[in-house]
Amino acid sequence: MNALELLLTRQSDARLTEPGPNSEQLSIIKQAALLAPDHGALTPWQFIVVQGEGRERLGDVFYRSAFHHQLDERNLERAKTLALRAPLVIICIAKYVENNKVPRIEQVQSAACAVFAMQQATFAQGLGGVWRTGHYAQCELIKAELGLNVDDEIVGYLYLGTPEVKHVKTRRLSTEQFFSDF
Ligand SMILES: Cc1cc2nc3c(=O)[nH]c(=O)nc-3n(C[C@H](O)[C@H](O)[C@H](O)COP(=O)(O)O)c2cc1C
């Protein structure tokens, strides 16, 4: 797949199954993350790769968060299984570095670029992925359990694997709606 084909056909896949990225594919995905634009070369990132039984441990962390926040019964039950929705999950963190020139938002944006780069690198290798956030990206208890600082931001959980169903993105937006000339 060439670069333009990637950019113009990329899509997310919410339903993912085995196999996940092999070690060679994962290595490429990791390298793509580290090429994210980075103002001031602060490298304000941290990535935690979760696979195999690690997904069950992450499910336990989600469960403790759900319990702590008194989520309803349905969410409590779901919590333990969430990380099992793909063979591999990467927890993507903006690791905030205090800096006079580079505000926090730019560091979070840089980490977000890294997430997108990883999703693209996955797609380009014939696999699929989806970027998720929600309650478990905002929870202070989870940050603490992952050993993160309060200033850090979980910018997403990137679920990666093989798409369960082959589908082609049908929603096409019109450039005229979002671009104008000045
Ligand atoms: C910051 C961010 C958080 C997201 N969180 C979720 C989420 O929690 N659950 C979800 O189903 N999709 C979430 N999405 C959307 C999907 O990742 C995906 O972009 C969307 O399903 C559209 O698919 P597409 O990438 O093929 O256009 C999020 C996207 C972004 C950028």
Side-chain angles (χ1 to χ4, degrees):
M1 181 181 293
N2 73 33
L4 283 180
E5 191 186 348
L6 163 66
L7 291 173
L8 298 178
T9 63
R10 181 217 64 85
Q11 63 180 46
S12 300
D13 291 283
R15 295 177 60 191
L16 298 160
T17 187
E18 300 284 352
N22 62 32
S23 57
E24 206 174 304
Q25 290 167 326
L26 183 57
S27 166
I28 288 170
I29 292 165
K30 289 175 175 175
Q31 290 172 56
L34 304 188
L35 285 163
D38 172 17
H39 189 181
L42 298 178
T43 61
W45 322 302
Q46 183 183 345
F47 307 101
I48 303 172
V49 177
V50 184
Q51 51 188 328
E53 288 174 7
R55 295 172 307 155
E56 272 148 42
R57 287 195 296 277
L58 182 59
D60 291 340
V61 174
F62 286 163
Y63 179 83
R64 287 193 286 278
S65 165
F67 188 79
H68 177 77
H69 290 282
Q70 302 180 328
L71 299 193
D72 61 30
E73 198 58 41
R74 184 181 151 271
N75 278 303
L76 264 182
E77 271 183 27
R78 259 187 102 222
K80 280 199 177 187
T81 63
L82 288 177
L84 302 174
R85 289 178 293 180
L88 190 144
V89 183
I90 304 180
I91 310 172
C92 306
I93 299 130
K95 195 92 196 131
Y96 176 63
V97 179
E98 200 166 331
N99 185 278
N100 290 339
K101 280 197 188 144
V102 186
R104 179 185 162 81
I105 187 168
E106 293 188 8
Q107 299 184 30
V108 174
Q109 287 167 336
S110 177
C113 288
V115 181
F116 193 46
M118 287 193 282
Q119 209 240 336
Q120 289 178 102
T122 304
F123 185 79
Q125 295 182 90
L127 295 164
V130 63
W131 179 351
R132 296 183 186 275
T133 49
H135 166 83
Y136 300 103
Q138 299 297 326
C139 173
E140 295 300 320
L141 186 89
I142 292 183
K143 280 198 210 172
E145 289 218 18
L146 296 176
L148 306 179
N149 301 323
V150 282
D151 274 347
D152 298 338
E153 188 82 31
I154 298 175
V155 294
Y157 296 87
L158 186 62
Y159 287 73
L160 304 179
T162 299
E164 239 176 62
V165 277
K166 286 255 174 255
H167 74 278
V168 174
K169 191 166 170 164
T170 47
R171 190 175 77 140
R172 287 280 160 206
L173 301 173
S174 105
T175 53
E176 286 78 27
Q177 192 184 343
F178 297 97
F179 289 81
S180 60
D181 295 316
F182 181 75

